[in-house]
Amino acid sequence: MHPTTLMYTSSLLLMFAVLLYPLLVTFTSLPLNNDWASSHAKTAVKSAFLISLAPLSLFLSTGMEAVTSSWTWMVTTTLDITLSFKFDHYSIIFIPIALYVTWSILEFATWYMHSDPLMNRFFKYLLTFLVAMLILVSANNLFQLFIGWEGVGIMSFLLIGWWHGRADANTAALQAVLYNRVGDIGLILGMAWLATNVNSWDIQQMFILSKDLDMTLPLLGLILAATGKSAQFGLHPWLPAAMEGPTPVSALLHSSTMVVAGIFLLIRMSPLMENNQTALTLCLCLGALTTMFTATCALTQNDIKKIVAFSTSSQLGLMMVTIGLNQPQLAFLHICTHAFFKAMLFLCSGSVIHSLNDEQDIRKMGGLHHLAPFTSSCLTVGSLALTGAPFLAGFFSKDAIIEALNTSHVNAWALTLTLIATSFTAIYSLRVIFFVTMGTPRFLPLSPINENNPAVINPLKRLAWGSIFGGLLVMLNINLFKTPVLTMPAELKLAALAVSVLGLLTALELATLTSKQFKVTPLRTPHHFSTSLGFVPAIIHRQIPQLSLLLGQKIASQMVDQTWLEKTGPKAIANATTPLASATSNMQQGLIKTYLTLFLMTLVLVTLISAT
Amino acid sequence: MTPTHFTISSAFLLGMMGLAFHRTHLLSALLCLEAMMLALFIALSLWSLQLDATGCSTAPMLMLAFSACEASAGLALLVATARTHGTGHMQALNLLQC
């Protein structure tokens, strides 16, 4: 084997071994020591991150990609499945970033979940999730990817419902599973079509063999899978509901790693989509709709985690737009930079929530700029990176996406929606910063505000470095596959920045208006639309089941019981003959003897008369 | 009329009078009903014999079958009456009398 390939493969093997060892230790019956979480789990992820830097540096210096096929899993007459790993640009760069973010989140979770008696189990679940995610990212065939896909789905369910005594957490976990399942149908459709038409689940074989085929159906299936997993519009309600899980879960799964799995699938399959205009347009419009809708919903939320969740959903929509522009690499870049600042935003929220004694409503926070300066600074840096402030991490990916959007021949509606969503990003980010860090405190005086624990400071510091320099580092070291359009009118070049600044100024104005009664009554209708999340949960989760149950009741009770059985069937006979019988019996009065005697008399008379 | 004709008619008429002028027991009415059926049976049997009409030879059997059904129905009603009203007397069946 070529030494580089040997290095790649052995690093991945070592990473899996390092990550699986703490899990296997828990399967023996020995009791775990108290700090298993920090001594074993976190150390394992840190070591895995350091190991993953080796393939990364090798890739950056040589640019070599590799595919490794090892153990043959199944051999059928038509389809072979082997264990194969793909070390390409996407997986080699994503794995270190995912491990870096996970390391920070695990260290934070040792502080956040400190008072939880089942903390070791929590870390076990997080490690299992990480292993499943790595399987998904490094998979070279769809079967292995599906294993990772299902793995992250089930761990998401277990982790969202971590506080399972709470009914809302259970319904949120169920929502996540159901919506992901609908997406899985799309993935299985794609896999089945590919297995029957292209006869392979290997990525390389699929790309070559599908050049002349009409790929619309499997691509629609894959887009459905991405819609489910990455919470695009239509299958999106599970992502805000998933905030019922603990903050480390939200930071790891529902911002950086799991929800990008759908987008990652589309990025991996992008050569299949290049020539299919239907699929590209669908991605574009779906992504634009998602990013706009969720940004609108984020504007009026009051729970800090829900705002960040909708922000995640909006950025996922932006990634989908990028795929629709036929720029998968820019979407991947956005995945990488987004991981940094979104995880940091969630960790800052977690720090704030714990500091204010589990208060999550931003209307009850304030003035944390003086009381928790480090957390507030990280929150600000993360929000600036999110809005694409020049030369922070988000700028390199987000600005590139918007420039590509502006200079390509796309749907103007999608373009408009994306730009509006970008300005909304600035608005709700400012809203978070304004309500959490600025102004005067609106929480109880004796709140345990303490950010002096190194388990809080170090992760936030690491992720802050990532949010500031991550974009620059990634951009400097990669080669862009598609040449970007570098010349454009100044208005288009500055469009992203202009709409963000416009949004920021609008938000500042609106925020300072809260203390002056400019309008006596606010505009109810748009506010209700935004606060009720576009009425989507109300309609789909409540109205439609209610209609179905009503229909069922009508069929069972009215149609079958009352109409068929009572009015026209068995009881109809009873209901019809009872009046007849009672009428007849009312007419007959008894006196049988009299009647029979009269009858006999008449008979005798008739006989005698007719005889003569 | 022939003696046979007269005998059968008078037997039938006597049975009918017994049915009409019943006094106390329901069972006596049923017995008279049976007597009527018997007279009719004999009439039908003698019909085919006297007139040499072999085509209606089966009529007495049919008649007997139906009379058996009717007799059993009548007895069932008697038993039901005895169960619900306690006696078999006709004056117990006065529910519809005004």
Side-chain angles (χ1 to χ4, degrees):
Chain A
M1 202 191 270
H2 193 271
T4 315
T5 318
L6 185 62
M7 172 62 119
Y8 287 161
T9 322
S10 47
S11 313
L12 188 68
L13 198 60
L14 197 56
M15 261 189 269
F16 274 129
V18 161
L19 288 174
L20 284 174
Y21 166 71
L23 290 178
L24 294 173
V25 162
T26 64
F27 286 135
T28 64
S29 53
L30 303 166
L32 302 169
N33 45 351
N34 283 344
D35 60 340
W36 173 87
S38 79
S39 67
H40 278 67
K42 185 196 67 146
T43 321
V45 176
K46 183 163 143 186
S47 326
F49 166 67
L50 293 171
I51 294 169
S52 72
L53 289 178
L56 178 66
S57 47
L58 202 52
F59 175 75
L60 291 178
S61 81
T62 62
M64 179 167 150
E65 304 186 348
V67 171
T68 309
S69 291
S70 61
W71 179 55
T72 309
W73 198 320
M74 323 181 193
V75 177
T76 63
T77 37
T78 46
L79 194 63
D80 293 351
I81 298 179
T82 60
L83 205 64
S84 63
F85 298 99
K86 189 169 166 70
F87 301 97
D88 69 339
H89 169 262
Y90 297 133
S91 60
I92 292 184
I93 294 184
F94 184 73
I95 291 180
I97 293 179
L99 286 171
Y100 183 75
V101 169
T102 311
W103 170 30
S104 308
I105 291 174
L106 285 189
E107 195 175 342
F108 179 81
T110 55
W111 171 76
Y112 194 82
M113 306 296 288
H114 186 73
S115 57
D116 196 319
L118 296 171
M119 186 166 105
N120 289 338
R121 183 185 295 181
F122 186 73
F123 274 72
K124 190 162 89 166
Y125 286 175
L126 284 178
L127 271 183
T128 317
F129 165 80
L130 186 64
V131 170
M133 190 70 202
L134 289 182
I135 293 175
L136 195 157
V137 165
S138 62
N140 191 37
N141 58 359
L142 279 181
F143 190 72
Q144 210 170 314
L145 190 137
F146 189 64
I147 293 175
W149 186 275
E150 290 294 296
V152 298
I154 196 71
M155 294 324 291
S156 169
F157 168 75
L158 289 174
L159 283 167
I160 294 175
W162 177 254
W163 289 312
H164 54 80
R166 194 179 143 86
D168 283 341
N170 287 331
T171 53
L174 200 61
Q175 257 182 297
V177 165
L178 288 174
Y179 278 114
N180 277 347
R181 255 299 168 252
V182 176
D184 290 349
I185 295 173
L187 182 59
I188 294 177
L189 170 70
M191 283 169 73
W193 191 97
L194 287 164
T196 50
N197 289 64
V198 174
N199 197 26
S200 174
W201 275 339
D202 266 356
I203 290 185
Q204 286 77 25
Q205 286 192 31
M206 282 194 299
F207 290 169
I208 295 175
L209 294 170
S210 61
K211 281 273 184 286
D212 302 319
L213 297 174
D214 176 26
M215 298 289 288
T216 314
L217 185 61
L219 286 175
L220 289 180
L222 292 177
I223 293 175
L224 179 63
T227 311
K229 192 65 102 180
S230 297
Q232 301 298 308
F233 183 76
L235 298 177
H236 67 280
W238 70 271
L239 190 55
M243 296 299 115
E244 291 288 333
T247 307
V249 170
S250 309
L252 183 56
L253 273 74
H254 305 121
S255 64
S256 327
T257 28
M258 186 188 107
V259 291
V260 299
I263 307 283
F264 195 83
L265 173 71
L266 287 182
I267 292 175
R268 268 282 156 79
M269 300 290 141
S270 53
L272 296 177
M273 274 177 53
E274 272 172 345
N275 300 320
N276 194 319
Q277 204 52 46
T278 316
L280 288 177
T281 316
L282 180 63
C283 282
L284 186 73
C285 295
L286 184 64
L289 182 62
T290 307
T291 182
M292 173 67 193
F293 178 77
T294 50
T296 314
C297 292
L299 289 178
T300 54
Q301 297 299 309
N302 292 320
D303 183 349
I304 190 173
K305 283 180 71 174
K306 286 248 171 16
I307 299 180
V308 187
F310 277 113
S311 167
T312 309
S313 205
S314 185
Q315 297 303 306
L316 290 169
L318 187 66
M319 292 175 207
M320 190 64 123
V321 165
T322 323
I323 292 180
L325 287 174
N326 212 356
Q327 299 273 4
Q329 201 190 15
L330 287 183
F332 176 72
L333 279 175
H334 198 54
I335 289 179
C336 296
T337 53
H338 174 259
F340 287 121
F341 51 76
K342 198 44 68 73
M344 185 164 80
L345 282 176
F346 268 113
L347 293 194
C348 292
S349 324
S351 169
V352 161
I353 289 170
H354 252 26
S355 293
L356 299 181
N357 200 18
D358 296 333
E359 178 59 63
Q360 290 187 296
D361 196 332
I362 56 174
R363 298 170 292 190
K364 290 192 185 174
M365 304 175 186
L368 284 179
H369 179 63
H370 304 284
L371 301 166
F374 187 73
T375 309
S376 317
S377 319
C378 288
L379 195 68
T380 315
V381 166
S383 300
L384 284 175
L386 170 64
T387 57
F391 311 120
L392 293 182
F395 171 75
F396 291 99
S397 50
K398 209 166 171 187
D399 202 64
I401 293 172
I402 305 232
E403 272 179 30
L405 190 60
N406 278 335
T407 55
S408 58
H409 305 287
V410 289
N411 205 328
W413 176 77
L415 171 63
T416 321
L417 284 187
T418 313
L419 285 175
I420 296 178
T422 313
S423 72
F424 281 1
T425 310
I427 297 181
Y428 60 67
S429 300
L430 181 89
R431 185 161 180 265
V432 168
I433 295 176
F434 180 77
F435 277 97
V436 171
T437 61
M438 291 158 64
T440 52
R442 293 180 295 279
F443 47 84
L444 300 170
L446 287 179
S447 299
I449 300 179
N450 182 11
E451 52 174 24
N452 287 324
N453 197 328
V456 179
I457 301 270
N458 287 337
L460 285 178
K461 220 191 288 187
R462 279 199 295 270
L463 288 176
W465 285 124
S467 303
I468 298 174
F469 292 115
L472 181 65
L473 282 175
V474 176
M475 262 306 190
L476 283 177
N477 287 314
I478 60 164
N479 303 317
L480 289 172
F481 296 154
K482 300 186 197 225
T483 319
V485 174
L486 293 171
T487 55
M488 60 194 91
E491 298 85 19
L492 290 187
K493 185 87 182 162
L494 295 172
L497 197 59
V499 292
S500 300
V501 168
L502 202 65
L504 188 79
L505 292 175
T506 316
L508 267 177
E509 179 70 26
L510 288 172
T512 50
L513 277 179
T514 48
S515 53
K516 314 166 193 145
Q517 273 214 310
F518 195 64
K519 274 176 88 137
V520 181
T521 53
L523 265 171
R524 290 265 165 78
T525 321
H527 187 264
H528 286 174
F529 180 83
S530 179
T531 314
S532 319
L533 312 183
F535 305 112
V536 171
I539 295 175
I540 299 194
H541 298 163
R542 299 208 180 276
Q543 195 67 21
I544 292 181
Q546 187 192 27
L547 289 174
S548 310
L549 289 172
L550 266 178
L551 182 68
Q553 188 198 29
K554 280 210 185 351
I555 291 178
S557 148
Q558 286 186 0
M559 194 177 93
V560 176
D561 276 349
Q562 289 176 356
T563 310
W564 282 115
L565 292 180
E566 283 198 17
K567 288 273 182 319
T568 46
K571 289 195 80 177
I573 302 172
N575 291 342
T577 49
T578 313
L580 295 174
S582 58
T584 315
S585 47
N586 276 342
M587 284 192 291
Q588 301 190 344
Q589 299 297 325
L591 308 169
I592 306 169
K593 210 160 157 185
T594 320
Y595 300 150
L596 279 175
T597 317
L598 278 174
F599 164 67
L600 196 61
M601 292 295 165
T602 320
L603 193 64
V604 166
L605 271 172
V606 163
T607 320
L608 284 175
I609 290 170
S610 65
T612 57
Chain B
M1 52 168 75
T2 59
T4 322
H5 191 190
F6 176 72
T7 320
I8 291 170
S9 307
S10 55
F12 188 77
L13 201 62
L14 276 173
M16 195 175 326
M17 285 204 297
L19 180 64
F21 299 134
H22 57 265
R23 294 250 311 234
T24 41
H25 226 279
L26 182 60
L27 192 57
S28 63
L30 288 177
L31 277 172
C32 294
L33 207 58
E34 286 308 301
M36 284 164 65
M37 289 299 123
L38 183 62
L40 286 174
F41 174 71
I42 292 178
L44 277 176
S45 316
L46 286 177
W47 185 299
S48 58
L49 281 173
Q50 295 282 49
L51 301 177
D52 291 324
T54 50
C56 42
S57 310
T58 55
M61 288 310 295
L62 283 171
M63 168 86 203
L64 208 57
F66 281 118
S67 110
C69 297
E70 161 218 327
S72 53
L75 281 173
L77 279 171
L78 173 68
V79 170
T81 311
R83 235 183 234 181
T84 50
H85 293 266
T87 63
H89 294 182
M90 293 298 281
Q91 65 239 37
L93 299 171
N94 58 357
L95 198 60
L96 287 176
Q97 268 182 347
C98 50

